[in-house]
Amino acid sequence: MKKSLPLVFGLLFTGNCAALPLMEYLGLVAQAHPELQSLETRSEQYAADRQYAEGAYDTEFAHKTASRVTGYYDGIYSTQEISQRLKPFNSEVFTQYRVSDGEFPVYEEQNRTLSEGEASVGLRISLLQNRTIDEDRYNILLAENDRRKWQQQIKIAQSEFYYTAILAYAEWAKASQYYRLSLQMLETTLNRRKGISTRVNTGDLARIVLTEFETQLMQREITALNAEQTLRASYEQLRYFIPRDIATSPDQYKALVDLEFAWPSALIMATNELTPSSSHPAIQSKLVEVEKAEQDLRLAENKLLPKMDLEMAVAKDFGSGPESLEEKETKVALKLSVPLRRTQAKAKKTKAEFKLRQVYRDLEALIRALNVSLAQTEINLEYSQKLTRKQRQQVALARELFAQEQKRFALGASDFFLLNTRETNAFKAQQDHLDAIFAVNKQRLALLKIQAALDHDFVQALTQGQ
């Protein structure tokens, strides 16, 4: 689909604009706009969150020294351990070195080693609670989900941004057309002033005709000023999307754009084929939320399990000392902890189950909303196209009426009031036609926005391939 979509912007506005063609404008917008840079900066923050969560599995070094400084016994011992946590089974491999000296009471004999110390290597694993998931693994999954969700949301945000940027360009183009029409109308009226003044002075027309003419001239000067105000305002909106050092001339906004709002049939077909699918960024983002809700449920279910942790180690003492410490030792320890009521864990599990149901319902609602938005936009496009055809016919009829009225007025078979009405109606018909054309293209652009098709990669490919 996207292979056809680049034609959209190349043909949305065709024509010449010495100041700023659409493709050049989009290139400037895509290069260094602060909104786009802000979005990219947020992406880096999510990557940092993932790195932070992974830090829970950094290798650790621990050291402990204990001694009796007073009393009958003078035992002192030191322990050093390097450990590395692993994700499977919440396991941890470790190697340890212990060394002691002096005398220990019988209840601390486990601290005694041979003269050169004891070296050991071992493994700790979780057999029930924390075996498949724990807080640290959950945090990694959460950080990754947030990153993946943002990767989809940034496409939506970029699409909204470029939609607004292109719409600003279209508003400027329409305002340029309005301004041009108003100047043409004013020029035509000014050219008519001398003839009407002559006919009034010769008595061919009543003095009120000249008064009416001056009133109409004033109205058209006001219309031209309003059109120029709208053009300047739309140009300032356009400048929000481009660097401030571009187009600094005070009259830059007057660089009129002669635009033909034409879309080829192949492009119209490509646009009509757009339908919400599982690849839509909003749906993908919601699916990530589903995964998170499932992980929340897994974590809650994990908390309901009893704790059963196993530790296994092989140790060997070196040096001189008690004969009982000379043999290699294999150690196994099992620790069991069973919560009796688990009230909080049950509450969290219940909440997680309902949250998962909610997210699934939200996903269904989102798919429906996308379908409805697409259908509404297609209906709006259909009737905008019908209205454009009618407005085009209206322009032709209004021009024909005005042309005939000019001939009648020149022959003296009509009055200025009717001529002015015909001319005003022709001007209004052209304005309405411009509005209708703009509405058609706005709806087509909206179809792309609904699909989040206007992301940064798409626009960059578009501007580079112009």
Side-chain angles (χ1 to χ4, degrees), residues 224-260:
L225 282 174
N226 287 332
E228 184 175 354
Q229 176 189 3
T230 302
L231 179 57
R232 292 190 65 178
S234 64
Y235 182 70
E236 287 304 314
Q237 177 62 30
L238 191 73
R239 292 189 66 195
Y240 168 74
F241 295 98
I242 57 179
R244 278 299 185 183
D245 57 348
I246 303 294
T248 56
S249 170
D251 293 330
Q252 190 70 43
Y253 67 91
K254 291 183 179 179
L256 302 180
V257 188
D258 185 14
L259 301 178
E260 294 292 338

Side-chain angles (χ1 to χ4, degrees), residues 46-47 49-51 53-54 133 137-153 281 284-298:
Y46 285 109
D49 288 341
R50 170 63 190 262
Q51 182 182 10
E54 290 281 3
I133 190 171
R137 278 176 286 178
Y138 171 81
N139 288 335
I140 293 174
L141 293 173
L142 182 61
E144 177 62 18
N145 285 350
D146 288 343
R147 187 189 66 82
R148 288 170 51 211
K149 183 178 178 180
W150 175 244
Q151 285 178 336
Q152 302 303 321
Q153 290 178 331
Q284 288 296 311
S285 176
K286 188 61 67 175
L287 287 174
V288 174
E289 290 185 28
V290 171
E291 290 183 23
K292 178 184 179 302
E294 291 173 342
Q295 291 158 5
D296 288 342
L297 180 58
R298 286 180 58 204

Side-chain angles (χ1 to χ4, degrees), residues 40-255:
E40 292 299 329
T41 302
R42 288 185 63 182
S43 299
E44 297 299 327
Q45 294 178 45
Y46 285 109
D49 288 341
R50 170 63 190 262
Q51 182 182 10
Y52 180 86
E54 290 281 3
Y57 290 87
D58 288 346
T59 303
E60 290 189 5
F61 172 79
H63 176 85
K64 178 183 178 181
T65 298
S67 65
R68 278 186 170 81
V69 294
T70 62
Y72 179 79
Y73 296 100
D74 61 352
I76 180 173
Y77 69 92
S78 177
T79 302
Q80 295 178 340
E81 179 178 292
I82 297 178
S83 60
Q84 174 64 62
R85 293 186 59 199
L86 304 174
K87 295 171 185 176
F89 295 95
N90 190 35
S91 56
E92 181 181 35
V93 293
F94 65 91
T95 180
Q96 188 181 87
Y97 174 75
R98 298 189 307 118
V99 63
S100 67
D101 191 22
E103 296 295 326
F104 293 91
V106 65
Y107 50 83
E108 290 184 4
E109 277 296 313
Q110 72 272 13
N111 296 323
R112 185 184 297 277
T113 68
L114 294 184
S115 60
E116 296 182 13
E118 175 196 80
S120 64
V121 61
L123 173 68
R124 304 181 182 105
I125 61 174
S126 297
L127 301 179
L128 292 176
Q129 188 179 125
N130 299 331
R131 184 173 68 92
T132 59
I133 190 171
D134 62 282
E135 292 286 349
D136 291 326
R137 278 176 286 178
Y138 171 81
N139 288 335
I140 293 174
L141 293 173
L142 182 61
E144 177 62 18
N145 285 350
D146 288 343
R147 187 189 66 82
R148 288 170 51 211
K149 183 178 178 180
W150 175 244
Q151 285 178 336
Q152 302 303 321
Q153 290 178 331
I154 194 175
K155 294 178 183 178
I156 299 173
Q158 289 171 347
S159 189
E160 292 278 356
F161 172 80
Y162 282 116
Y163 169 81
T164 306
I166 296 169
L167 209 57
Y169 188 92
E171 291 279 5
W172 176 54
K174 185 178 74 168
S176 298
Q177 292 284 7
Y178 273 14
Y179 185 50
R180 169 175 288 179
L181 286 176
S182 66
L183 290 181
Q184 290 175 349
M185 194 74 164
L186 180 59
E187 182 180 0
T188 301
T189 306
L190 288 172
N191 291 337
R192 196 179 296 133
R193 169 188 270 172
K194 183 177 181 180
I196 291 178
S197 296
T198 300
R199 293 181 65 179
V200 169
N201 292 333
T202 59
D204 188 31
L205 294 174
R207 176 64 60 179
I208 193 174
V209 174
L210 182 59
T211 304
E212 172 64 21
F213 173 83
E214 294 295 341
T215 302
Q216 186 61 33
L217 177 61
M218 181 64 68
Q219 181 60 47
R220 290 177 180 176
E221 288 176 343
I222 293 173
T223 300
L225 282 174
N226 287 332
E228 184 175 354
Q229 176 189 3
T230 302
L231 179 57
R232 292 190 65 178
S234 64
Y235 182 70
E236 287 304 314
Q237 177 62 30
L238 191 73
R239 292 189 66 195
Y240 168 74
F241 295 98
I242 57 179
R244 278 299 185 183
D245 57 348
I246 303 294
T248 56
S249 170
D251 293 330
Q252 190 70 43
Y253 67 91
K254 291 183 179 179

Side-chain angles (χ1 to χ4, degrees), residues 379-422:
I379 291 172
N380 293 338
L381 175 60
E382 177 187 353
Y383 281 89
S384 294
Q385 290 171 326
K386 291 179 180 179
L387 181 60
T388 301
R389 289 191 290 269
K390 293 295 183 182
Q391 292 291 350
R392 188 181 301 115
Q393 296 171 8
Q394 181 68 17
V395 169
L397 291 173
R399 285 176 175 174
E400 179 63 24
L401 280 174
F402 175 55
Q404 292 179 11
E405 204 62 47
Q406 280 182 308
K407 294 178 182 178
R408 293 180 69 238
F409 182 77
L411 295 173
S414 178
D415 57 53
F416 176 75
F417 301 103
L418 186 55
L419 176 66
N420 180 62
T421 299
R422 300 296 191 201

